[in-house]
């Protein structure tokens, strides 16, 4: 089964900043939630700049991603920006139609 990839750019909320020490534990909870909807986390990074974290996911479909995101947002620790991502093979197939 082919899974869609997504990139999540996340900013800590005020609540997330107040509870920063619990961040590693929340990441473990996040991993379990991703698995519960049939997905998996491929990478997670803390970053410097406009966003605080970047996470790359594989999810079975948009609905699974939406379930995960809504659950994560209800917790109130991060505000995510979700971007569908296309690997180089898929991208090559897409742009191949423009030749």
């Amino acid at each position: 089964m082919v899974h869609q990839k997504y990139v999540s750019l996340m900013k800590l909320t005020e609540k997330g900043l107040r509870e920063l020490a619990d961040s590693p534990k929340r990441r473990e909870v996040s991993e379990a939630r991703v698995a519960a909807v049939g997905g998996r986390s491929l990478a997670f990074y803390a970053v410097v700049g406009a966003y605080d974290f970047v996470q790359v996911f594989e999810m079975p479909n948009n609905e699974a991603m939406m379930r995960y995101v809504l659950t994560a947002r209800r917790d109130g620790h991060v505000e995510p920006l979700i971007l569908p991502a296309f690997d180089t093979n898929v991208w090559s197939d897409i742009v191949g139609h423009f030749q």
Side-chain angles (χ1 to χ4, degrees):
M1 172 189 265
V2 175
H3 283 81
Q4 173 67 46
K5 292 180 180 68
Y6 299 87
V7 174
S8 176
L9 307 175
M10 294 170 276
K11 290 183 182 185
L12 286 164
T13 62
E14 289 299 319
K15 179 180 180 182
L17 287 168
R18 278 192 315 272
E19 299 174 12
L20 195 56
D22 291 336
S23 186
K25 190 183 332 177
R26 287 196 305 273
R27 188 169 177 292
E28 291 176 16
V29 169
S30 171
E31 296 281 338
R33 288 176 175 171
V34 169
V37 295
R40 70 185 179 124
S41 177
L42 302 176
F44 182 90
Y45 302 98
V47 296
V48 176
Y51 292 89
D52 299 303
F53 305 109
V54 174
Q55 191 165 8
V56 181
F57 299 93
E58 274 185 345
M59 290 289 191
N61 52 45
N62 287 332
E63 292 81 6
M65 190 70 212
M66 179 63 81
R67 281 193 297 277
Y68 169 75
V69 169
L70 290 175
T71 301
R73 288 188 69 203
R74 281 180 41 181
D75 289 346
H77 294 100
V78 294
E79 188 63 41
L81 172 64
I82 306 298
L83 306 167
F86 304 92
D87 65 28
T88 55
N89 293 332
V90 173
W91 176 247
S92 294
D93 289 344
I94 291 169
V95 298
H97 293 281
F98 292 96
Q99 296 178 1

